[in-house]
Amino acid sequence: MADLERSMTGVAGLDEMLRGGFISGSVVLLQGAPGTGKTTLGVQFLIEGARQGEPGLLVSFEQFPHTLYRDAEAHGWDLRVLEREGRLRVVFTSPEVLVTSLQSPTSPISSAIRDLGVRRAVLDSMTHLQTITRDPVELRSQYGSLINGLRREGITSLLLSEDSGPDFVRSDRGRLAFAVDTVILLRYVEIDSVMNRAVAVLKMRGSDHDKSIRRLAIVRGGIQVQEPFVGREGLLSGTPRRAG
Amino acid sequence: MADLERSMTGVAGLDEMLRGGFISGSVVLLQGAPGTGKTTLGVQFLIEGARQGEPGLLVSFEQFPHTLYRDAEAHGWDLRVLEREGRLRVVFTSPEVLVTSLQSPTSPISSAIRDLGVRRAVLDSMTHLQTITRDPVELRSQYGSLINGLRREGITSLLLSEDSGPDFVRSDRGRLAFAVDTVILLRYVEIDSVMNRAVAVLKMRGSDHDKSIRRLAIVRGGIQVQEPFVGREGLLSGTPRRAG
Amino acid sequence: MADLERSMTGVAGLDEMLRGGFISGSVVLLQGAPGTGKTTLGVQFLIEGARQGEPGLLVSFEQFPHTLYRDAEAHGWDLRVLEREGRLRVVFTSPEVLVTSLQSPTSPISSAIRDLGVRRAVLDSMTHLQTITRDPVELRSQYGSLINGLRREGITSLLLSEDSGPDFVRSDRGRLAFAVDTVILLRYVEIDSVMNRAVAVLKMRGSDHDKSIRRLAIVRGGIQVQEPFVGREGLLSGTPRRAG
Amino acid sequence: MADLERSMTGVAGLDEMLRGGFISGSVVLLQGAPGTGKTTLGVQFLIEGARQGEPGLLVSFEQFPHTLYRDAEAHGWDLRVLEREGRLRVVFTSPEVLVTSLQSPTSPISSAIRDLGVRRAVLDSMTHLQTITRDPVELRSQYGSLINGLRREGITSLLLSEDSGPDFVRSDRGRLAFAVDTVILLRYVEIDSVMNRAVAVLKMRGSDHDKSIRRLAIVRGGIQVQEPFVGREGLLSGTPRRAG
Amino acid sequence: MADLERSMTGVAGLDEMLRGGFISGSVVLLQGAPGTGKTTLGVQFLIEGARQGEPGLLVSFEQFPHTLYRDAEAHGWDLRVLEREGRLRVVFTSPEVLVTSLQSPTSPISSAIRDLGVRRAVLDSMTHLQTITRDPVELRSQYGSLINGLRREGITSLLLSEDSGPDFVRSDRGRLAFAVDTVILLRYVEIDSVMNRAVAVLKMRGSDHDKSIRRLAIVRGGIQVQEPFVGREGLLSGTPRRAG
Amino acid sequence: MADLERSMTGVAGLDEMLRGGFISGSVVLLQGAPGTGKTTLGVQFLIEGARQGEPGLLVSFEQFPHTLYRDAEAHGWDLRVLEREGRLRVVFTSPEVLVTSLQSPTSPISSAIRDLGVRRAVLDSMTHLQTITRDPVELRSQYGSLINGLRREGITSLLLSEDSGPDFVRSDRGRLAFAVDTVILLRYVEIDSVMNRAVAVLKMRGSDHDKSIRRLAIVRGGIQVQEPFVGREGLLSGTPRRAG
């Protein structure tokens, strides 16, 4: 396919699966169960951006601020330094404030995007937007506005989502997966009495991508995407079987 | 069966499964999970129509316009040229506007159908019509009006649907599959730790068709329908097993 | 059992399963997923009736009239000729009109039944009666009135139903299967990566019947019921396994 | 256990499973899918009673009268003769009338019970009582009144129930199975591509009983209970597997 | 663990599983499908108490009194003699009356507890308390009051519950299993085409217990707990498989 | 990863899985079915704290006080001595009181935290907070306030949760697992006809941890975490299979 500009994720194995990284300016959905590494991967993506001169914005609805900085430190990342250098902005806010901020060019978030020249954004997590409305149709519309706003700014965006389950479409309230450009799933996979983590790229508009399901590890320094699983059936169900 | 006029889809392998293409003037449902290639197949069907002198209409409720054009370009398709040449019209609208437009002969959509002499249409996606009403009976009625409107015009129509799941009938809110002439399913199938895509033609009124479940690939240049899967049970469940 | 009068269905393999055909004057439920051949089988049953001097009535709620005639033609059946000859009446109507028509001896449907001397009827489909009421108890009552009305007239009736699923009882809103005399299921069955169609006679009041699950094919000329499946477990689940 | 008085069912194989028949005066629930033989077994139980000098009452909410008599004839049973001889009373009524009738000693049903000296009763079917109330707690209470009324009269009673499914408890709205003395299940079981019928006695207060799952056949002359199934796992799920 | 005082159940095999019987003064939940022996085990527990000088109270919401006495007789137990001797009190009442009675020291039930010196109680069944309220939070609170009332009196209590299903936690409306001290499950298990009964002790606060799943039989004289099952996987699902 | 301060749990095998214990000041979710040892593990964690000079707070909503002390005694733990020595405070309260207490510095609970210098807390159980509100969004907000309050105090906290099931995310009303730092699952696992207990650490922010699924036993003296399971597939489903 055409050679679109790429934004490397900071995870070599994942960039390889993506044939070079996210497509710059695209919107990526990262869906996973708790503890599968969504936030870590999000921070890593911003760290990589800072390294490459692409300032980042991290919008968090849930994290106790201290925890986010401490967990980053555990990986050797000093977010405060990046913030002081103008290469990152971390915003703790509410879903309501985020949505109205993006519509107002004078809001602190809009200012940050403009002043820093934000090129990458992480939203942790989209699931919190469900507090804005209980109506799935209205929710889908809110998601749409947000995604289109990010596309208009040309910001490569990573949307974290807690929705997860064996049937990833059914658990996707608001149908985010249909609206975004790229979908990545993180899953727990029980193999040999051990809880492994798995990553799969399911959808990538405008690009080829690796279709295999690979091991994912969280180590000091962040996420590692490793070799594909071998000899199992039903990996994405979470309880695979040895292939006959 | 009788030799009905055919509209080739632009995907050789799919035309083969359909014994020559869609039946001209029929309404086809293409149901699939996100990233299985629904929109790509829809555009490809319109490109093929333009090539064969059958002007096309693409109605999109969801796409950020830029993305649609960019993704088409990634396949080597320049939609804007086709639009300038009067061989394609792309309309970004809302479900409400579409429904009322089709009932009014002076609406822009009705004019486009008349002025261009539209012979092919793609609706991306029917699922968005669920914003019009939450009542499944009323929804079914809306679907029915739309389908009958398309049939009256004799337009070969491809309706994209995001409804998907192991049990395709149950996930079919509004029961589109019963109302249309042809049903095609796109599915993810996990085999050997790889996420494959599969295509099956389930129903085709007035024609024989290939009943096998085949591999589908998205490559530069569009969708390819390849050989049938072999040696697996439960393909359409998404997590098949090696046949015993 | 006693030798009750039979109405041959026009499908030799099915008549064989039914030990000679439907019991004349009985009410038969034909339940199946979209594309499994319900309407085709219904028309074939009426064609056979016309051939045997038993005039037929086809009540359709859903079909675009043109499509019904065209699909019949694809099988070599000219419904308009039969209509002209007074051997068939095709009525496109709404569920509400049907229900009130049957209660009024002067309605067009009642007149048609009387004037033609209708001996066979097909309702396509019962599922549309769900538009009359959302109350399952009231729905069951409506179904009951309709069925008893048909029995009173002594019309051998085939009721098509879109309700389908692995558990056929649960998917049977309104509990039609308990009220009718005979129940026939049509199902998709995935075997060797191919979507086959299957037919099973589940219930037949007052008669023995074949209990095997057989292959069904839709070919030019209509439905064919073929040999039983062999060596599979869980056929009616749709994703059978090779028997161990 | 103690030698309680027995009421033979008329089905030798079932009497054997029950160690001699139903316990006289007990209330039996017969739960099954459509076409598994519930009504036939009910009639057979009343025929046997008539033979043994125990007059019977058949309350039907659903059957078109003609059909019941015709289906009985197909088995060689002439219900009208039994009615004329005062050995059977068939009542077609509504759930509401039944419930109020049993509370009024002057109602036609109460009179019939008294005048004939009814010792056996069949209710076809309990599921229709759901039309009286949508409240499961109230429904359970209605069931309770009915059952206690039958016990008070000392009538050996067979309650037919259409509720059925793999999990027989969950499908038992109103929790009839807990209130009655004996529970018998009829099920479809797919084996070797054939739809077999199975019978199991699940519960029998005050008596030992056969715990095996046996084949059931409907032949001219009524129900036959045959040998137990062999070499299968998961029979009551409906889609058993060959035991490993 | 510490040697707490024990109340033998009257079922030797069960006492063995419990390391000597229920812990005196504890509250035990016995959960099972209809016909698995809940009431029989409850009566047996009270008979054993009577034998050991621990007077018992049986509160029944559902049984037709005659049936309870008759079924007990079938096991050789004469409840009326025990009642006359002041070693047992059987109360047929409603859930509402029970709840208010326990709060009033002058109510017949409270008097009975005091006058007889009740040391053991059986409630048949807790499921009936669902008639008091449809609100699960309120239901849980009602359960809590009842359980704490029994604990305050130091009565060893056996609560029968009809909730049952493969997932015993989910089917436990009101979350009784978390509130009580001991949980025992009774289940149907289909093995070799025979419906067996199984018993498992799942939870026992303050004591070790046997973790195996054992056969349970209902014979003349009451419940027998026999040897553990062998060579099966998934026993508690009800449809086990031979272990590979 | 960085060497964060650790709070040993008192269970050697679990500390090993956690690479030294809980991260001090973090919030841990312990999710499990009834009887899997949640409360025992909670008490053991507080006993260990008392031993190490870290005073503890146990907030219980459900336990009958006597039962808690008695069950602790059964393990050889005298909670009353620890309370007298100011090393433990046990509070029996309601969810409403807890939530308002934590917001008021003069409440008894806040005073206890301050006066004792509480460093460890156990809440038994979070599920009871569902009585405060039926709105899942509001519930999540309540959980968030509570967790952030605990983090602010720097208290190492163990939150017990009764939510459990094969799909641990779906059963997690209020989405606690996403908000906390560490998630530990306790499950029943049926192996060789025996109900075993299993423990898995699923998520641990800021630390590596053992991913294996290990046996857990409740013995006199508390919880023991033992060797990993071997040779089974689908352990966390509760009904594992022997690996092929």
Side-chain angles (χ1 to χ4, degrees):
Chain A
M1 303 199 188
D3 286 347
L4 294 161
E5 201 185 327
R6 300 285 174 156
S7 296
M8 291 171 69
T9 63
V11 180
L14 182 58
D15 285 342
E16 191 188 307
M17 291 182 79
L18 297 165
R19 310 295 185 236
F22 297 141
I23 293 177
S24 300
S26 72
V27 177
V28 179
L29 176 66
L30 180 64
Q31 197 199 51
T36 48
K38 291 185 304 295
T39 302
T40 303
L41 181 51
V43 171
Q44 203 164 346
F45 166 69
L46 295 177
I47 297 280
E48 178 67 17
R51 211 172 278 156
Q52 306 217 354
E54 298 194 345
L57 172 71
L58 172 53
V59 180
S60 174
F61 303 120
E62 187 182 20
Q63 292 271 358
F64 191 67
H66 172 71
T67 309
L68 178 71
Y69 290 101
R70 189 198 65 191
D71 293 346
E73 266 172 58
H75 287 293
W77 303 326
D78 190 333
L79 302 185
R80 288 207 174 78
V81 165
L82 294 176
E83 288 192 281
R84 277 196 299 271
E85 297 173 353
R87 298 195 285 170
L88 176 69
R89 181 70 52 92
V90 182
V91 177
F92 293 92
T93 188
S94 72
E96 287 78 9
V97 169
L98 172 70
V99 164
T100 57
S101 285
L102 288 177
Q103 285 156 4
S104 154
T106 61
S107 71
I109 289 179
S110 293
S111 304
I113 290 175
R114 213 171 38 236
D115 297 350
L116 259 69
V118 162
R119 308 307 312 140
R120 297 185 174 206
V122 171
L123 269 63
D124 188 0
S125 72
M126 293 301 279
T127 313
H128 285 83
L129 268 78
Q130 296 178 6
T131 59
I132 299 179
T133 175
R134 270 158 195 74
D135 176 357
V137 170
E138 168 66 13
L139 180 64
R140 184 169 191 169
S141 158
Q142 288 280 357
Y143 284 162
S145 306
L146 191 60
I147 289 169
N148 285 338
L150 292 165
R151 282 192 181 129
R152 213 159 14 230
E153 299 287 341
I155 298 173
T156 313
S157 302
L158 190 56
L159 312 185
L160 311 188
S161 165
E162 300 169 356
D163 285 322
S164 72
D167 182 346
F168 88 98
V169 176
R170 243 171 244 200
S171 63
D172 179 19
R173 282 183 263 174
R175 304 199 161 237
L176 261 174
F178 289 98
V180 300
D181 300 297
T182 298
V183 174
I184 301 174
L185 303 182
L186 304 184
R187 285 286 180 278
Y188 286 108
V189 176
E190 182 191 323
I191 293 181
D192 293 341
S193 310
V194 172
M195 296 305 284
N196 299 271
R197 289 177 179 87
V199 58
V201 179
L202 215 66
K203 163 183 177 178
M204 194 171 183
R205 281 192 189 144
S207 170
D208 182 35
H209 60 93
D210 184 355
K211 274 88 180 175
S212 65
I213 305 171
R214 294 180 173 233
R215 286 179 188 273
L216 179 149
I218 310 179
V219 298
R220 186 171 159 80
I223 300 288
Q224 282 186 356
V225 169
Q226 302 167 338
E227 75 287 355
F229 288 89
V230 170
R232 302 282 163 172
E233 293 176 336
L235 285 164
L236 286 195
S237 74
T239 51
R241 303 172 53 101
R242 202 177 290 274
Chain B
M1 304 197 190
D3 286 348
L4 294 161
E5 201 185 326
R6 300 285 175 156
S7 297
M8 290 172 70
T9 64
V11 180
L14 183 58
D15 285 342
E16 191 188 308
M17 291 182 79
L18 297 164
R19 310 293 185 237
F22 297 141
I23 293 176
S24 300
S26 72
V27 178
V28 179
L29 176 67
L30 181 63
Q31 197 198 51
T36 48
K38 291 186 303 296
T39 303
T40 303
L41 182 51
V43 172
Q44 202 164 346
F45 167 68
L46 295 177
I47 297 280
E48 178 67 18
R51 212 173 277 155
Q52 307 217 353
E54 299 194 344
L57 171 71
L58 172 53
V59 180
S60 174
F61 304 120
E62 187 182 21
Q63 291 271 358
F64 191 67
H66 172 71
T67 309
L68 177 71
Y69 291 100
R70 189 198 64 193
D71 293 347
E73 266 171 58
H75 287 294
W77 303 326
D78 191 333
L79 302 185
R80 288 206 173 79
V81 164
L82 294 176
E83 289 192 281
R84 276 196 300 271
E85 298 173 353
R87 298 195 285 171
L88 177 69
R89 180 71 51 91
V90 183
V91 178
F92 293 92
T93 188
S94 72
E96 288 78 9
V97 170
L98 173 69
V99 165
T100 55
S101 285
L102 288 177
Q103 286 156 3
S104 154
T106 61
S107 71
I109 289 180
S110 293
S111 304
I113 290 175
R114 212 172 35 234
D115 297 350
L116 260 69
V118 162
R119 307 309 311 140
R120 297 185 174 206
V122 171
L123 271 63
D124 189 1
S125 71
M126 294 301 278
T127 314
H128 285 82
L129 268 77
Q130 297 178 4
T131 59
I132 298 179
T133 175
R134 271 158 194 74
D135 176 358
V137 170
E138 167 67 14
L139 180 64
R140 183 169 192 169
S141 158
Q142 288 281 358
Y143 283 163
S145 306
L146 192 59
I147 288 169
N148 284 338
L150 293 165
R151 281 190 182 131
R152 214 160 12 230
E153 300 287 340
I155 298 173
T156 313
S157 303
L158 190 55
L159 312 186
L160 311 188
S161 165
E162 302 169 355
D163 286 322
S164 73
D167 182 347
F168 88 96
V169 176
R170 245 170 243 201
S171 64
D172 179 19
R173 282 182 263 175
R175 304 197 160 237
L176 262 174
F178 289 99
V180 299
D181 300 296
T182 298
V183 175
I184 301 175
L185 304 182
L186 304 185
R187 287 286 182 276
Y188 286 108
V189 176
E190 182 191 324
I191 293 181
D192 293 341
S193 309
V194 172
M195 295 306 285
N196 299 272
R197 288 177 180 88
V199 58
V201 178
L202 215 66
K203 163 183 175 177
M204 194 172 184
R205 281 192 190 144
S207 171
D208 182 34
H209 60 93
D210 184 354
K211 275 88 179 174
S212 65
I213 304 171
R214 295 183 172 231
R215 286 178 190 273
L216 179 149
I218 310 179
V219 299
R220 187 174 158 79
I223 300 288
Q224 282 186 355
V225 169
Q226 303 167 337
E227 75 286 357
F229 288 90
V230 171
R232 302 283 162 172
E233 292 176 337
L235 284 163
L236 286 196
S237 73
T239 52
R241 305 173 53 100
R242 202 177 288 274
Chain C
M1 305 197 189
D3 285 348
L4 295 162
E5 200 185 328
R6 300 284 174 157
S7 297
M8 289 173 70
T9 64
V11 180
L14 182 59
D15 285 342
E16 189 188 308
M17 291 183 79
L18 297 165
R19 310 294 185 236
F22 298 141
I23 293 176
S24 300
S26 71
V27 178
V28 179
L29 176 67
L30 180 63
Q31 198 199 50
T36 47
K38 291 186 304 296
T39 302
T40 304
L41 182 50
V43 172
Q44 202 163 347
F45 167 69
L46 295 177
I47 297 281
E48 177 67 19
R51 211 172 278 155
Q52 307 218 351
E54 299 195 345
L57 171 72
L58 171 54
V59 180
S60 174
F61 305 120
E62 187 183 21
Q63 290 271 359
F64 191 67
H66 173 71
T67 309
L68 178 71
Y69 291 100
R70 189 199 64 195
D71 293 348
E73 266 171 56
H75 288 293
W77 303 325
D78 190 332
L79 302 185
R80 287 206 174 81
V81 165
L82 294 177
E83 290 192 280
R84 275 195 301 271
E85 299 173 353
R87 298 194 286 170
L88 176 70
R89 179 71 51 90
V90 182
V91 179
F92 294 90
T93 188
S94 71
E96 288 78 9
V97 169
L98 173 69
V99 165
T100 55
S101 286
L102 288 177
Q103 286 156 3
S104 153
T106 61
S107 71
I109 289 180
S110 294
S111 303
I113 291 175
R114 212 173 35 235
D115 297 350
L116 260 68
V118 163
R119 306 311 310 142
R120 298 185 174 207
V122 171
L123 271 63
D124 187 1
S125 70
M126 293 301 278
T127 313
H128 285 82
L129 268 78
Q130 297 178 6
T131 58
I132 299 180
T133 175
R134 273 159 193 73
D135 176 357
V137 170
E138 168 65 14
L139 180 63
R140 183 169 191 167
S141 158
Q142 289 281 357
Y143 283 163
S145 306
L146 192 59
I147 289 169
N148 285 338
L150 293 165
R151 281 193 181 127
R152 213 159 12 229
E153 300 287 341
I155 298 174
T156 312
S157 304
L158 189 56
L159 311 185
L160 311 188
S161 165
E162 301 169 355
D163 287 320
S164 72
D167 183 347
F168 87 96
V169 176
R170 246 171 241 201
S171 65
D172 179 19
R173 282 182 262 174
R175 304 196 161 241
L176 262 174
F178 289 99
V180 300
D181 300 297
T182 298
V183 175
I184 301 174
L185 304 181
L186 303 185
R187 287 285 181 276
Y188 286 109
V189 176
E190 182 191 324
I191 293 181
D192 293 340
S193 310
V194 172
M195 296 306 285
N196 299 272
R197 289 179 180 86
V199 58
V201 179
L202 215 66
K203 163 182 175 176
M204 194 171 183
R205 281 192 191 144
S207 170
D208 182 34
H209 60 92
D210 185 355
K211 275 88 180 174
S212 65
I213 305 171
R214 294 182 173 231
R215 287 179 190 272
L216 178 149
I218 309 180
V219 298
R220 187 172 159 79
I223 301 288
Q224 283 186 354
V225 169
Q226 304 167 336
E227 75 286 357
F229 288 90
V230 170
R232 302 284 162 170
E233 292 176 336
L235 284 164
L236 286 196
S237 74
T239 52
R241 304 172 54 100
R242 202 176 288 273
Chain D
M1 305 197 187
D3 286 348
L4 294 162
E5 199 185 327
R6 301 284 174 156
S7 297
M8 289 172 71
T9 64
V11 180
L14 182 58
D15 285 342
E16 188 188 311
M17 290 183 80
L18 297 165
R19 310 294 185 236
F22 297 141
I23 293 176
S24 299
S26 71
V27 178
V28 179
L29 176 66
L30 180 64
Q31 198 199 50
T36 47
K38 292 186 303 296
T39 302
T40 304
L41 182 49
V43 172
Q44 202 163 349
F45 166 70
L46 295 176
I47 298 281
E48 177 67 19
R51 210 172 279 156
Q52 308 219 350
E54 299 194 347
L57 172 71
L58 171 54
V59 181
S60 174
F61 304 120
E62 189 183 20
Q63 291 271 0
F64 192 67
H66 172 72
T67 309
L68 177 71
Y69 290 99
R70 187 198 66 192
D71 293 347
E73 266 171 58
H75 287 292
W77 304 325
D78 190 332
L79 301 186
R80 287 205 175 81
V81 164
L82 295 176
E83 289 193 280
R84 276 195 301 270
E85 299 173 352
R87 298 194 284 169
L88 176 70
R89 178 72 52 91
V90 182
V91 178
F92 293 91
T93 187
S94 71
E96 289 78 9
V97 169
L98 173 69
V99 164
T100 54
S101 285
L102 288 178
Q103 285 155 5
S104 154
T106 61
S107 72
I109 289 180
S110 293
S111 303
I113 291 176
R114 213 174 34 237
D115 297 350
L116 261 67
V118 163
R119 307 311 310 143
R120 299 185 173 205
V122 171
L123 270 62
D124 187 1
S125 73
M126 293 302 278
T127 313
H128 285 83
L129 268 77
Q130 297 178 7
T131 58
I132 299 180
T133 175
R134 273 159 193 73
D135 177 358
V137 170
E138 168 65 13
L139 180 63
R140 184 170 191 168
S141 159
Q142 289 281 358
Y143 283 162
S145 306
L146 192 59
I147 289 170
N148 285 337
L150 292 164
R151 281 191 181 128
R152 214 161 11 230
E153 300 288 340
I155 297 173
T156 311
S157 303
L158 189 56
L159 312 185
L160 310 189
S161 166
E162 301 170 355
D163 287 321
S164 73
D167 183 346
F168 87 97
V169 176
R170 244 170 243 201
S171 64
D172 179 19
R173 283 183 262 174
R175 303 196 161 240
L176 261 174
F178 290 99
V180 300
D181 300 297
T182 298
V183 175
I184 300 174
L185 304 181
L186 304 185
R187 288 284 180 277
Y188 286 108
V189 176
E190 182 191 324
I191 293 182
D192 293 340
S193 310
V194 172
M195 297 305 285
N196 299 272
R197 290 180 178 85
V199 58
V201 179
L202 216 67
K203 163 182 175 178
M204 195 173 182
R205 282 193 190 142
S207 171
D208 183 34
H209 61 92
D210 184 354
K211 275 88 179 176
S212 64
I213 305 170
R214 295 183 172 230
R215 285 179 190 274
L216 179 149
I218 311 180
V219 298
R220 185 170 159 82
I223 300 288
Q224 282 187 354
V225 169
Q226 303 167 336
E227 74 286 358
F229 288 90
V230 170
R232 302 285 161 168
E233 293 176 337
L235 284 165
L236 285 197
S237 74
T239 53
R241 303 173 54 99
R242 202 176 289 274
Chain E
M1 303 197 188
D3 286 347
L4 294 162
E5 200 185 326
R6 300 285 174 156
S7 297
M8 290 172 70
T9 64
V11 180
L14 183 57
D15 285 342
E16 189 188 309
M17 291 183 79
L18 297 165
R19 310 298 185 231
F22 297 141
I23 293 176
S24 300
S26 71
V27 177
V28 179
L29 177 66
L30 181 63
Q31 197 198 51
T36 49
K38 292 186 304 296
T39 302
T40 304
L41 182 50
V43 171
Q44 202 164 349
F45 166 69
L46 295 176
I47 298 280
E48 177 67 18
R51 212 172 276 155
Q52 307 218 352
E54 298 194 345
L57 173 71
L58 171 53
V59 181
S60 174
F61 303 120
E62 190 184 19
Q63 291 271 359
F64 191 67
H66 172 71
T67 309
L68 177 71
Y69 290 100
R70 188 198 65 192
D71 293 345
E73 265 171 57
H75 288 293
W77 304 325
D78 190 332
L79 301 186
R80 287 207 174 81
V81 164
L82 294 176
E83 289 192 280
R84 277 196 300 271
E85 299 172 353
R87 298 194 285 169
L88 176 70
R89 179 71 52 92
V90 182
V91 178
F92 293 92
T93 186
S94 71
E96 289 77 10
V97 169
L98 173 69
V99 165
T100 54
S101 285
L102 288 177
Q103 286 156 3
S104 154
T106 61
S107 71
I109 290 180
S110 292
S111 303
I113 291 176
R114 213 173 34 236
D115 297 349
L116 260 69
V118 162
R119 307 309 310 141
R120 299 184 172 205
V122 171
L123 270 63
D124 187 2
S125 72
M126 293 301 278
T127 313
H128 285 83
L129 269 76
Q130 296 178 6
T131 58
I132 299 180
T133 175
R134 272 158 194 72
D135 177 358
V137 170
E138 168 66 13
L139 180 63
R140 183 169 190 168
S141 159
Q142 288 281 359
Y143 283 163
S145 306
L146 192 59
I147 290 170
N148 285 338
L150 293 165
R151 281 191 181 129
R152 214 161 12 232
E153 300 287 340
I155 298 173
T156 312
S157 303
L158 190 56
L159 312 185
L160 310 189
S161 165
E162 301 169 356
D163 286 321
S164 73
D167 183 346
F168 86 96
V169 176
R170 241 168 246 202
S171 64
D172 180 19
R173 282 182 263 175
R175 302 198 161 238
L176 262 174
F178 289 98
V180 300
D181 300 296
T182 298
V183 175
I184 300 174
L185 304 182
L186 304 185
R187 287 286 180 276
Y188 286 108
V189 176
E190 182 191 323
I191 293 182
D192 293 341
S193 309
V194 172
M195 296 306 285
N196 299 272
R197 290 178 179 87
V199 57
V201 179
L202 217 67
K203 164 183 175 177
M204 196 174 182
R205 282 192 189 144
S207 171
D208 183 34
H209 61 91
D210 184 354
K211 275 88 181 174
S212 64
I213 305 171
R214 295 182 173 231
R215 285 178 190 274
L216 179 148
I218 311 180
V219 298
R220 186 171 158 82
I223 300 288
Q224 282 187 355
V225 170
Q226 304 167 337
E227 73 287 356
F229 288 90
V230 170
R232 302 285 161 168
E233 293 176 336
L235 284 165
L236 286 196
S237 74
T239 52
R241 302 173 54 100
R242 202 176 289 274
Chain F
M1 304 199 187
D3 286 348
L4 294 161
E5 200 185 327
R6 300 284 174 155
S7 297
M8 291 171 69
T9 63
V11 180
L14 183 58
D15 286 342
E16 191 189 308
M17 292 182 79
L18 297 165
R19 309 298 185 232
F22 297 141
I23 294 177
S24 299
S26 71
V27 178
V28 179
L29 177 66
L30 181 64
Q31 196 198 52
T36 48
K38 291 185 304 296
T39 302
T40 304
L41 182 50
V43 172
Q44 202 165 348
F45 166 69
L46 295 176
I47 297 279
E48 178 67 17
R51 212 172 275 156
Q52 307 218 352
E54 298 194 344
L57 172 71
L58 171 54
V59 180
S60 174
F61 304 120
E62 189 183 20
Q63 291 271 359
F64 191 67
H66 172 71
T67 309
L68 178 71
Y69 289 101
R70 188 198 66 192
D71 292 346
E73 265 172 57
H75 287 294
W77 303 327
D78 190 332
L79 302 185
R80 289 208 173 78
V81 164
L82 294 176
E83 288 192 282
R84 277 196 300 270
E85 298 172 353
R87 298 194 285 171
L88 177 69
R89 179 69 53 91
V90 182
V91 178
F92 293 92
T93 187
S94 71
E96 288 77 9
V97 169
L98 173 69
V99 165
T100 56
S101 285
L102 288 177
Q103 285 157 4
S104 154
T106 60
S107 71
I109 289 180
S110 293
S111 303
I113 291 175
R114 212 171 40 236
D115 297 349
L116 261 68
V118 162
R119 306 309 312 140
R120 298 184 173 205
V122 171
L123 269 63
D124 188 0
S125 72
M126 294 301 278
T127 312
H128 285 82
L129 268 78
Q130 295 178 7
T131 58
I132 300 180
T133 175
R134 271 159 194 73
D135 176 358
V137 170
E138 168 67 13
L139 180 64
R140 184 169 191 169
S141 159
Q142 288 280 359
Y143 283 163
S145 307
L146 192 60
I147 289 170
N148 285 338
L150 293 165
R151 281 192 181 128
R152 215 160 13 232
E153 300 287 341
I155 298 173
T156 312
S157 303
L158 189 57
L159 311 186
L160 311 188
S161 165
E162 301 169 356
D163 285 322
S164 73
D167 183 345
F168 86 98
V169 176
R170 242 170 245 200
S171 63
D172 179 19
R173 282 182 263 174
R175 303 199 160 236
L176 261 174
F178 289 98
V180 300
D181 300 297
T182 298
V183 175
I184 300 174
L185 303 182
L186 304 184
R187 286 286 181 277
Y188 286 107
V189 176
E190 183 190 323
I191 292 182
D192 293 341
S193 309
V194 172
M195 295 306 284
N196 298 272
R197 290 178 179 87
V199 58
V201 179
L202 215 67
K203 164 183 175 177
M204 194 172 185
R205 281 192 190 144
S207 171
D208 183 34
H209 61 91
D210 184 355
K211 274 88 181 173
S212 65
I213 304 170
R214 294 180 173 233
R215 286 178 189 274
L216 179 149
I218 310 179
V219 297
R220 186 171 159 81
I223 300 288
Q224 282 186 354
V225 169
Q226 303 167 339
E227 75 286 355
F229 289 89
V230 170
R232 302 284 162 170
E233 293 177 335
L235 284 164
L236 287 196
S237 74
T239 52
R241 301 173 55 102
R242 202 176 291 272

